[in-house]
Amino acid sequence: MVKIGSPTTRFHDLRHTYAVMAIKSGDDIKTVQENLGHATATFTLDVYGHVTAQMKQASASRMEQFIQNVSAG
């Protein structure tokens, strides 16, 4: 990875970063699975499905908005 200015970065690191960022940005798991060439979505989620604090907060905010919308109706 010397050509990209990061000689200590491994190819696997790039795949990992892609997978986590794709999931975090909202790509559906089947698309990420296919792009990585995994046999199952379960494997993709088991290996790359990390939950960040930001993802937890976004989920909580979506649920709060959903509950407010239901309560207002």
Side-chain angles (χ1 to χ4, degrees):
M1 299 294 162
V2 174
K3 288 183 181 183
I4 65 168
S6 187
T8 60
T9 301
R10 302 166 298 156
F11 181 74
H12 176 77
D13 298 331
L14 297 177
R15 282 178 56 89
H16 185 86
T17 299
Y18 159 76
V20 173
M21 293 298 106
I23 293 167
K24 185 176 177 180
S25 70
D27 283 359
D28 65 275
I29 195 60
K30 289 299 285 183
T31 300
V32 178
Q33 170 208 337
E34 292 250 341
N35 288 343
L36 292 171
H38 294 157
T40 67
T42 301
F43 178 82
T44 304
L45 283 170
D46 285 346
V47 175
Y48 298 105
H50 307 301
V51 178
T52 66
Q54 182 182 12
M55 293 164 77
K56 287 180 185 179
Q57 181 59 49
S59 177
S61 295
R62 284 190 302 273
M63 185 54 67
E64 180 179 19
Q65 185 63 47
F66 174 79
I67 291 168
Q68 287 176 356
N69 289 342
V70 170
S71 298

